[in-house]
Amino acid sequence: MGRGAGISKPFPKIQQIIETSSAEETLAFGRYLASSLKSGSLVALFGDLGAGKTTLIKGIVSEISKIHTEEICSPTFSYLNIYEEGQIPVYHFDLYRLNSVEEFLDLGFDEFLFGEGIACLEWSERIASILPSYTQNITLTYDGADKRRILYEF
Ligand code: ADP
Ligand code: MG
């Protein structure tokens, strides 16, 4: 066996669990996370409706673009919002209504996954098969009215 044997298998990601007790705390986690993201970073969010995916992305977008969180909303009908106000563009995807990976590729969206900016995706499971191994995964789970469990894998 050569020296490289075995390294083609994806390396297990580091896992971190965070618990938040309010939407404001989830926003703050998004802002904190933003400082570690760079050009080409890919953040894939998972979790049910109301789990807090949009809230967390608002934190990321507001930190990088300096846009007020109240002006940031989910692109549920258009799939993609682009924020170019900061030093790095942020691409916010909401793929809830996406039908297939083919649709995503036909729309040319892969350009944004592998582009200059930071890509943040809601309903990432829709395109799980094309997400690269360096994708940072965030899974949010409802844990009571204002509590959310956030599994961060990077
Ligand atoms: P999703 O995008 O996953 O559907 P949203 O972020 O749009 O979720 O909505 C989450 C809802 O839950 C918001 O109304 C928010 O105010 C509320 N909420 C309550 N507690 C939290 C928390 N700890 N983290 C995130 N959102 C929370
Ligand atoms: Mg949402």
Side-chain angles (χ1 to χ4, degrees), residues 82-111:
I82 300 177
Y83 299 93
E84 293 186 302
E85 292 80 354
Q87 293 203 327
I88 313 172
V90 184
Y91 312 127
H92 177 188
F93 282 99
D94 183 338
L95 303 176
Y96 184 64
R97 289 166 197 281
L98 188 82
N99 295 303
S100 63
V101 173
E102 287 67 34
E103 185 186 3
F104 186 86
L105 297 174
D106 286 347
L107 290 164
F109 285 157
D110 49 324
E111 177 193 329

PDB file of all heavy atoms in Angstrom, residues 82-111:
ATOM      1  N   ILE A  82     -28.412  37.396  -3.000  1.00  0.00           N
ATOM      2  CA  ILE A  82     -26.985  37.680  -3.038  1.00  0.00           C
ATOM      3  C   ILE A  82     -26.723  38.980  -2.292  1.00  0.00           C
ATOM      4  O   ILE A  82     -27.383  39.989  -2.549  1.00  0.00           O
ATOM      5  CB  ILE A  82     -26.485  37.789  -4.498  1.00  0.00           C
ATOM      6  CG1 ILE A  82     -26.749  36.476  -5.242  1.00  0.00           C
ATOM      7  CG2 ILE A  82     -24.998  38.151  -4.541  1.00  0.00           C
ATOM      8  CD1 ILE A  82     -26.350  36.491  -6.718  1.00  0.00           C
ATOM      9  N   TYR A  83     -25.776  38.936  -1.363  1.00  0.00           N
ATOM     10  CA  TYR A  83     -25.400  40.135  -0.604  1.00  0.00           C
ATOM     11  C   TYR A  83     -23.945  40.466  -0.940  1.00  0.00           C
ATOM     12  O   TYR A  83     -23.045  39.704  -0.610  1.00  0.00           O
ATOM     13  CB  TYR A  83     -25.568  39.888   0.898  1.00  0.00           C
ATOM     14  CG  TYR A  83     -26.993  39.580   1.270  1.00  0.00           C
ATOM     15  CD1 TYR A  83     -27.439  38.265   1.336  1.00  0.00           C
ATOM     16  CD2 TYR A  83     -27.904  40.603   1.530  1.00  0.00           C
ATOM     17  CE1 TYR A  83     -28.761  37.974   1.646  1.00  0.00           C
ATOM     18  CE2 TYR A  83     -29.228  40.324   1.840  1.00  0.00           C
ATOM     19  CZ  TYR A  83     -29.644  39.005   1.902  1.00  0.00           C
ATOM     20  OH  TYR A  83     -30.958  38.725   2.202  1.00  0.00           O
ATOM     21  N   GLU A  84     -23.752  41.589  -1.591  1.00  0.00           N
ATOM     22  CA  GLU A  84     -22.388  41.942  -2.028  1.00  0.00           C
ATOM     23  C   GLU A  84     -21.879  43.193  -1.331  1.00  0.00           C
ATOM     24  O   GLU A  84     -20.914  43.802  -1.772  1.00  0.00           O
ATOM     25  CB  GLU A  84     -22.375  42.127  -3.552  1.00  0.00           C
ATOM     26  CG  GLU A  84     -22.640  40.805  -4.269  1.00  0.00           C
ATOM     27  CD  GLU A  84     -22.502  40.886  -5.775  1.00  0.00           C
ATOM     28  OE1 GLU A  84     -23.205  41.700  -6.375  1.00  0.00           O
ATOM     29  OE2 GLU A  84     -21.665  40.123  -6.321  1.00  0.00           O
ATOM     30  N   GLU A  85     -22.540  43.555  -0.247  1.00  0.00           N
ATOM     31  CA  GLU A  85     -22.197  44.807   0.439  1.00  0.00           C
ATOM     32  C   GLU A  85     -20.921  44.698   1.274  1.00  0.00           C
ATOM     33  O   GLU A  85     -20.307  45.704   1.606  1.00  0.00           O
ATOM     34  CB  GLU A  85     -23.365  45.236   1.341  1.00  0.00           C
ATOM     35  CG  GLU A  85     -24.621  45.677   0.595  1.00  0.00           C
ATOM     36  CD  GLU A  85     -25.493  44.514   0.080  1.00  0.00           C
ATOM     37  OE1 GLU A  85     -25.090  43.336   0.198  1.00  0.00           O
ATOM     38  OE2 GLU A  85     -26.578  44.811  -0.440  1.00  0.00           O
ATOM     39  N   GLY A  86     -20.548  43.484   1.653  1.00  0.00           N
ATOM     40  CA  GLY A  86     -19.375  43.323   2.519  1.00  0.00           C
ATOM     41  C   GLY A  86     -18.119  43.005   1.736  1.00  0.00           C
ATOM     42  O   GLY A  86     -18.100  43.070   0.504  1.00  0.00           O
ATOM     43  N   GLN A  87     -17.064  42.624   2.452  1.00  0.00           N
ATOM     44  CA  GLN A  87     -15.793  42.315   1.795  1.00  0.00           C
ATOM     45  C   GLN A  87     -15.874  41.024   0.995  1.00  0.00           C
ATOM     46  O   GLN A  87     -15.159  40.847   0.014  1.00  0.00           O
ATOM     47  CB  GLN A  87     -14.695  42.211   2.842  1.00  0.00           C
ATOM     48  CG  GLN A  87     -14.420  43.564   3.487  1.00  0.00           C
ATOM     49  CD  GLN A  87     -13.027  43.643   4.078  1.00  0.00           C
ATOM     50  OE1 GLN A  87     -12.506  42.640   4.546  1.00  0.00           O
ATOM     51  NE2 GLN A  87     -12.452  44.829   4.058  1.00  0.00           N
ATOM     52  N   ILE A  88     -16.731  40.111   1.443  1.00  0.00           N
ATOM     53  CA  ILE A  88     -16.929  38.836   0.740  1.00  0.00           C
ATOM     54  C   ILE A  88     -18.425  38.737   0.416  1.00  0.00           C
ATOM     55  O   ILE A  88     -19.254  39.001   1.288  1.00  0.00           O
ATOM     56  CB  ILE A  88     -16.548  37.620   1.627  1.00  0.00           C
ATOM     57  CG1 ILE A  88     -15.191  37.834   2.300  1.00  0.00           C
ATOM     58  CG2 ILE A  88     -16.548  36.329   0.829  1.00  0.00           C
ATOM     59  CD1 ILE A  88     -14.855  36.757   3.335  1.00  0.00           C
ATOM     60  N   PRO A  89     -18.777  38.356  -0.813  1.00  0.00           N
ATOM     61  CA  PRO A  89     -20.202  38.167  -1.100  1.00  0.00           C
ATOM     62  C   PRO A  89     -20.769  37.001  -0.283  1.00  0.00           C
ATOM     63  O   PRO A  89     -20.040  36.063   0.049  1.00  0.00           O
ATOM     64  CB  PRO A  89     -20.237  37.815  -2.598  1.00  0.00           C
ATOM     65  CG  PRO A  89     -18.888  38.100  -3.142  1.00  0.00           C
ATOM     66  CD  PRO A  89     -17.927  38.071  -1.981  1.00  0.00           C
ATOM     67  N   VAL A  90     -22.049  37.095   0.051  1.00  0.00           N
ATOM     68  CA  VAL A  90     -22.727  35.966   0.700  1.00  0.00           C
ATOM     69  C   VAL A  90     -23.892  35.554  -0.191  1.00  0.00           C
ATOM     70  O   VAL A  90     -24.668  36.398  -0.648  1.00  0.00           O
ATOM     71  CB  VAL A  90     -23.258  36.327   2.111  1.00  0.00           C
ATOM     72  CG1 VAL A  90     -23.873  35.087   2.772  1.00  0.00           C
ATOM     73  CG2 VAL A  90     -22.147  36.878   2.996  1.00  0.00           C
ATOM     74  N   TYR A  91     -23.978  34.248  -0.461  1.00  0.00           N
ATOM     75  CA  TYR A  91     -25.064  33.689  -1.271  1.00  0.00           C
ATOM     76  C   TYR A  91     -25.976  32.909  -0.347  1.00  0.00           C
ATOM     77  O   TYR A  91     -25.565  31.899   0.229  1.00  0.00           O
ATOM     78  CB  TYR A  91     -24.496  32.756  -2.349  1.00  0.00           C
ATOM     79  CG  TYR A  91     -23.338  33.338  -3.131  1.00  0.00           C
ATOM     80  CD1 TYR A  91     -22.129  32.643  -3.260  1.00  0.00           C
ATOM     81  CD2 TYR A  91     -23.441  34.592  -3.735  1.00  0.00           C
ATOM     82  CE1 TYR A  91     -21.069  33.173  -3.973  1.00  0.00           C
ATOM     83  CE2 TYR A  91     -22.380  35.135  -4.450  1.00  0.00           C
ATOM     84  CZ  TYR A  91     -21.196  34.423  -4.563  1.00  0.00           C
ATOM     85  OH  TYR A  91     -20.140  34.944  -5.255  1.00  0.00           O
ATOM     86  N   HIS A  92     -27.194  33.383  -0.193  1.00  0.00           N
ATOM     87  CA  HIS A  92     -28.154  32.732   0.702  1.00  0.00           C
ATOM     88  C   HIS A  92     -29.173  31.952  -0.127  1.00  0.00           C
ATOM     89  O   HIS A  92     -30.006  32.538  -0.810  1.00  0.00           O
ATOM     90  CB  HIS A  92     -28.833  33.814   1.563  1.00  0.00           C
ATOM     91  CG  HIS A  92     -29.893  33.284   2.483  1.00  0.00           C
ATOM     92  ND1 HIS A  92     -30.716  34.120   3.218  1.00  0.00           N
ATOM     93  CD2 HIS A  92     -30.274  32.024   2.815  1.00  0.00           C
ATOM     94  CE1 HIS A  92     -31.550  33.377   3.938  1.00  0.00           C
ATOM     95  NE2 HIS A  92     -31.304  32.115   3.703  1.00  0.00           N
ATOM     96  N   PHE A  93     -29.101  30.643  -0.041  1.00  0.00           N
ATOM     97  CA  PHE A  93     -30.032  29.774  -0.762  1.00  0.00           C
ATOM     98  C   PHE A  93     -31.105  29.254   0.178  1.00  0.00           C
ATOM     99  O   PHE A  93     -30.829  28.908   1.327  1.00  0.00           O
ATOM    100  CB  PHE A  93     -29.303  28.537  -1.309  1.00  0.00           C
ATOM    101  CG  PHE A  93     -28.489  28.779  -2.554  1.00  0.00           C
ATOM    102  CD1 PHE A  93     -27.112  28.982  -2.474  1.00  0.00           C
ATOM    103  CD2 PHE A  93     -29.093  28.783  -3.795  1.00  0.00           C
ATOM    104  CE1 PHE A  93     -26.361  29.182  -3.625  1.00  0.00           C
ATOM    105  CE2 PHE A  93     -28.347  28.988  -4.952  1.00  0.00           C
ATOM    106  CZ  PHE A  93     -26.982  29.182  -4.863  1.00  0.00           C
ATOM    107  N   ASP A  94     -32.338  29.195  -0.321  1.00  0.00           N
ATOM    108  CA  ASP A  94     -33.406  28.459   0.354  1.00  0.00           C
ATOM    109  C   ASP A  94     -33.980  27.496  -0.691  1.00  0.00           C
ATOM    110  O   ASP A  94     -34.666  27.918  -1.625  1.00  0.00           O
ATOM    111  CB  ASP A  94     -34.484  29.409   0.874  1.00  0.00           C
ATOM    112  CG  ASP A  94     -35.567  28.659   1.653  1.00  0.00           C
ATOM    113  OD1 ASP A  94     -35.715  27.430   1.450  1.00  0.00           O
ATOM    114  OD2 ASP A  94     -36.276  29.297   2.448  1.00  0.00           O
ATOM    115  N   LEU A  95     -33.671  26.219  -0.538  1.00  0.00           N
ATOM    116  CA  LEU A  95     -33.997  25.236  -1.575  1.00  0.00           C
ATOM    117  C   LEU A  95     -35.253  24.433  -1.257  1.00  0.00           C
ATOM    118  O   LEU A  95     -35.473  23.368  -1.832  1.00  0.00           O
ATOM    119  CB  LEU A  95     -32.785  24.303  -1.782  1.00  0.00           C
ATOM    120  CG  LEU A  95     -31.490  25.051  -2.158  1.00  0.00           C
ATOM    121  CD1 LEU A  95     -30.320  24.083  -2.255  1.00  0.00           C
ATOM    122  CD2 LEU A  95     -31.662  25.815  -3.468  1.00  0.00           C
ATOM    123  N   TYR A  96     -36.094  24.961  -0.347  1.00  0.00           N
ATOM    124  CA  TYR A  96     -37.291  24.235   0.066  1.00  0.00           C
ATOM    125  C   TYR A  96     -38.120  23.785  -1.138  1.00  0.00           C
ATOM    126  O   TYR A  96     -38.605  22.673  -1.189  1.00  0.00           O
ATOM    127  CB  TYR A  96     -38.137  25.121   0.983  1.00  0.00           C
ATOM    128  CG  TYR A  96     -39.344  24.432   1.544  1.00  0.00           C
ATOM    129  CD1 TYR A  96     -39.206  23.345   2.395  1.00  0.00           C
ATOM    130  CD2 TYR A  96     -40.626  24.866   1.230  1.00  0.00           C
ATOM    131  CE1 TYR A  96     -40.321  22.706   2.921  1.00  0.00           C
ATOM    132  CE2 TYR A  96     -41.740  24.228   1.749  1.00  0.00           C
ATOM    133  CZ  TYR A  96     -41.584  23.151   2.591  1.00  0.00           C
ATOM    134  OH  TYR A  96     -42.683  22.513   3.103  1.00  0.00           O
ATOM    135  N   ARG A  97     -38.268  24.681  -2.119  1.00  0.00           N
ATOM    136  CA  ARG A  97     -39.129  24.384  -3.277  1.00  0.00           C
ATOM    137  C   ARG A  97     -38.407  23.743  -4.448  1.00  0.00           C
ATOM    138  O   ARG A  97     -39.011  23.505  -5.487  1.00  0.00           O
ATOM    139  CB  ARG A  97     -39.815  25.680  -3.737  1.00  0.00           C
ATOM    140  CG  ARG A  97     -40.863  26.116  -2.757  1.00  0.00           C
ATOM    141  CD  ARG A  97     -41.309  27.542  -2.996  1.00  0.00           C
ATOM    142  NE  ARG A  97     -41.990  28.018  -1.807  1.00  0.00           N
ATOM    143  CZ  ARG A  97     -43.259  27.716  -1.506  1.00  0.00           C
ATOM    144  NH1 ARG A  97     -43.974  26.988  -2.328  1.00  0.00           N
ATOM    145  NH2 ARG A  97     -43.798  28.147  -0.395  1.00  0.00           N
ATOM    146  N   LEU A  98     -37.119  23.502  -4.262  1.00  0.00           N
ATOM    147  CA  LEU A  98     -36.347  22.902  -5.368  1.00  0.00           C
ATOM    148  C   LEU A  98     -36.805  21.465  -5.629  1.00  0.00           C
ATOM    149  O   LEU A  98     -37.011  20.697  -4.705  1.00  0.00           O
ATOM    150  CB  LEU A  98     -34.854  22.909  -5.023  1.00  0.00           C
ATOM    151  CG  LEU A  98     -33.904  22.501  -6.149  1.00  0.00           C
ATOM    152  CD1 LEU A  98     -33.649  23.700  -7.076  1.00  0.00           C
ATOM    153  CD2 LEU A  98     -32.570  21.995  -5.602  1.00  0.00           C
ATOM    154  N   ASN A  99     -36.951  21.129  -6.900  1.00  0.00           N
ATOM    155  CA  ASN A  99     -37.433  19.791  -7.252  1.00  0.00           C
ATOM    156  C   ASN A  99     -36.333  18.759  -7.370  1.00  0.00           C
ATOM    157  O   ASN A  99     -36.558  17.584  -7.065  1.00  0.00           O
ATOM    158  CB  ASN A  99     -38.229  19.860  -8.556  1.00  0.00           C
ATOM    159  CG  ASN A  99     -39.483  20.692  -8.385  1.00  0.00           C
ATOM    160  OD1 ASN A  99     -40.312  20.401  -7.525  1.00  0.00           O
ATOM    161  ND2 ASN A  99     -39.603  21.751  -9.164  1.00  0.00           N
ATOM    162  N   SER A 100     -35.170  19.172  -7.833  1.00  0.00           N
ATOM    163  CA  SER A 100     -34.123  18.178  -8.076  1.00  0.00           C
ATOM    164  C   SER A 100     -32.759  18.845  -8.178  1.00  0.00           C
ATOM    165  O   SER A 100     -32.647  20.063  -8.382  1.00  0.00           O
ATOM    166  CB  SER A 100     -34.396  17.444  -9.391  1.00  0.00           C
ATOM    167  OG  SER A 100     -34.335  18.368 -10.463  1.00  0.00           O
ATOM    168  N   VAL A 101     -31.741  18.040  -8.069  1.00  0.00           N
ATOM    169  CA  VAL A 101     -30.374  18.527  -8.265  1.00  0.00           C
ATOM    170  C   VAL A 101     -30.226  19.060  -9.692  1.00  0.00           C
ATOM    171  O   VAL A 101     -29.573  20.085  -9.919  1.00  0.00           O
ATOM    172  CB  VAL A 101     -29.351  17.391  -8.008  1.00  0.00           C
ATOM    173  CG1 VAL A 101     -27.948  17.821  -8.381  1.00  0.00           C
ATOM    174  CG2 VAL A 101     -29.385  16.953  -6.553  1.00  0.00           C
ATOM    175  N   GLU A 102     -30.892  18.391 -10.641  1.00  0.00           N
ATOM    176  CA  GLU A 102     -30.811  18.817 -12.051  1.00  0.00           C
ATOM    177  C   GLU A 102     -31.320  20.248 -12.191  1.00  0.00           C
ATOM    178  O   GLU A 102     -30.744  21.062 -12.913  1.00  0.00           O
ATOM    179  CB  GLU A 102     -31.646  17.890 -12.956  1.00  0.00           C
ATOM    180  CG  GLU A 102     -31.033  16.518 -13.182  1.00  0.00           C
ATOM    181  CD  GLU A 102     -30.992  15.651 -11.920  1.00  0.00           C
ATOM    182  OE1 GLU A 102     -31.920  15.746 -11.074  1.00  0.00           O
ATOM    183  OE2 GLU A 102     -30.016  14.908 -11.742  1.00  0.00           O
ATOM    184  N   GLU A 103     -32.416  20.561 -11.506  1.00  0.00           N
ATOM    185  CA  GLU A 103     -32.968  21.922 -11.579  1.00  0.00           C
ATOM    186  C   GLU A 103     -31.933  22.926 -11.068  1.00  0.00           C
ATOM    187  O   GLU A 103     -31.717  23.979 -11.665  1.00  0.00           O
ATOM    188  CB  GLU A 103     -34.258  22.001 -10.749  1.00  0.00           C
ATOM    189  CG  GLU A 103     -34.945  23.351 -10.867  1.00  0.00           C
ATOM    190  CD  GLU A 103     -36.162  23.499  -9.940  1.00  0.00           C
ATOM    191  OE1 GLU A 103     -36.448  22.579  -9.153  1.00  0.00           O
ATOM    192  OE2 GLU A 103     -36.795  24.570 -10.002  1.00  0.00           O
ATOM    193  N   PHE A 104     -31.284  22.570  -9.969  1.00  0.00           N
ATOM    194  CA  PHE A 104     -30.262  23.440  -9.367  1.00  0.00           C
ATOM    195  C   PHE A 104     -29.138  23.709 -10.384  1.00  0.00           C
ATOM    196  O   PHE A 104     -28.723  24.852 -10.588  1.00  0.00           O
ATOM    197  CB  PHE A 104     -29.706  22.753  -8.113  1.00  0.00           C
ATOM    198  CG  PHE A 104     -28.746  23.576  -7.306  1.00  0.00           C
ATOM    199  CD1 PHE A 104     -29.200  24.461  -6.335  1.00  0.00           C
ATOM    200  CD2 PHE A 104     -27.380  23.455  -7.498  1.00  0.00           C
ATOM    201  CE1 PHE A 104     -28.318  25.201  -5.571  1.00  0.00           C
ATOM    202  CE2 PHE A 104     -26.485  24.199  -6.739  1.00  0.00           C
ATOM    203  CZ  PHE A 104     -26.957  25.074  -5.777  1.00  0.00           C
ATOM    204  N   LEU A 105     -28.699  22.646 -11.037  1.00  0.00           N
ATOM    205  CA  LEU A 105     -27.597  22.774 -12.003  1.00  0.00           C
ATOM    206  C   LEU A 105     -28.062  23.529 -13.252  1.00  0.00           C
ATOM    207  O   LEU A 105     -27.328  24.381 -13.778  1.00  0.00           O
ATOM    208  CB  LEU A 105     -27.055  21.389 -12.368  1.00  0.00           C
ATOM    209  CG  LEU A 105     -26.431  20.600 -11.201  1.00  0.00           C
ATOM    210  CD1 LEU A 105     -26.071  19.181 -11.641  1.00  0.00           C
ATOM    211  CD2 LEU A 105     -25.200  21.316 -10.632  1.00  0.00           C
ATOM    212  N   ASP A 106     -29.294  23.273 -13.681  1.00  0.00           N
ATOM    213  CA  ASP A 106     -29.827  23.961 -14.871  1.00  0.00           C
ATOM    214  C   ASP A 106     -29.914  25.466 -14.644  1.00  0.00           C
ATOM    215  O   ASP A 106     -29.770  26.256 -15.577  1.00  0.00           O
ATOM    216  CB  ASP A 106     -31.224  23.425 -15.237  1.00  0.00           C
ATOM    217  CG  ASP A 106     -31.165  22.044 -15.866  1.00  0.00           C
ATOM    218  OD1 ASP A 106     -30.051  21.604 -16.241  1.00  0.00           O
ATOM    219  OD2 ASP A 106     -32.225  21.393 -15.963  1.00  0.00           O
ATOM    220  N   LEU A 107     -30.163  25.851 -13.405  1.00  0.00           N
ATOM    221  CA  LEU A 107     -30.262  27.278 -13.084  1.00  0.00           C
ATOM    222  C   LEU A 107     -28.873  27.920 -12.944  1.00  0.00           C
ATOM    223  O   LEU A 107     -28.753  29.120 -12.709  1.00  0.00           O
ATOM    224  CB  LEU A 107     -31.077  27.470 -11.800  1.00  0.00           C
ATOM    225  CG  LEU A 107     -32.581  27.169 -11.953  1.00  0.00           C
ATOM    226  CD1 LEU A 107     -33.251  26.987 -10.590  1.00  0.00           C
ATOM    227  CD2 LEU A 107     -33.264  28.292 -12.740  1.00  0.00           C
ATOM    228  N   GLY A 108     -27.835  27.101 -13.053  1.00  0.00           N
ATOM    229  CA  GLY A 108     -26.457  27.626 -12.987  1.00  0.00           C
ATOM    230  C   GLY A 108     -26.001  27.928 -11.576  1.00  0.00           C
ATOM    231  O   GLY A 108     -25.018  28.635 -11.367  1.00  0.00           O
ATOM    232  N   PHE A 109     -26.698  27.394 -10.566  1.00  0.00           N
ATOM    233  CA  PHE A 109     -26.404  27.739  -9.170  1.00  0.00           C
ATOM    234  C   PHE A 109     -25.092  27.152  -8.656  1.00  0.00           C
ATOM    235  O   PHE A 109     -24.541  27.645  -7.668  1.00  0.00           O
ATOM    236  CB  PHE A 109     -27.545  27.305  -8.260  1.00  0.00           C
ATOM    237  CG  PHE A 109     -28.768  28.175  -8.347  1.00  0.00           C
ATOM    238  CD1 PHE A 109     -30.009  27.679  -7.972  1.00  0.00           C
ATOM    239  CD2 PHE A 109     -28.691  29.495  -8.790  1.00  0.00           C
ATOM    240  CE1 PHE A 109     -31.145  28.481  -8.027  1.00  0.00           C
ATOM    241  CE2 PHE A 109     -29.821  30.303  -8.855  1.00  0.00           C
ATOM    242  CZ  PHE A 109     -31.050  29.784  -8.474  1.00  0.00           C
ATOM    243  N   ASP A 110     -24.598  26.100  -9.314  1.00  0.00           N
ATOM    244  CA  ASP A 110     -23.334  25.516  -8.844  1.00  0.00           C
ATOM    245  C   ASP A 110     -22.203  26.539  -8.916  1.00  0.00           C
ATOM    246  O   ASP A 110     -21.254  26.467  -8.137  1.00  0.00           O
ATOM    247  CB  ASP A 110     -22.985  24.237  -9.608  1.00  0.00           C
ATOM    248  CG  ASP A 110     -23.074  24.386 -11.108  1.00  0.00           C
ATOM    249  OD1 ASP A 110     -23.961  25.116 -11.596  1.00  0.00           O
ATOM    250  OD2 ASP A 110     -22.245  23.769 -11.802  1.00  0.00           O
ATOM    251  N   GLU A 111     -22.356  27.508  -9.802  1.00  0.00           N
ATOM    252  CA  GLU A 111     -21.370  28.602  -9.898  1.00  0.00           C
ATOM    253  C   GLU A 111     -21.207  29.310  -8.537  1.00  0.00           C
ATOM    254  O   GLU A 111     -20.115  29.740  -8.178  1.00  0.00           O
ATOM    255  CB  GLU A 111     -21.881  29.602 -10.953  1.00  0.00           C
ATOM    256  CG  GLU A 111     -21.057  30.838 -11.145  1.00  0.00           C
ATOM    257  CD  GLU A 111     -21.805  31.885 -11.966  1.00  0.00           C
ATOM    258  OE1 GLU A 111     -22.625  31.505 -12.831  1.00  0.00           O
ATOM    259  OE2 GLU A 111     -21.590  33.074 -11.706  1.00  0.00           O
TER     260      GLU A 111
END
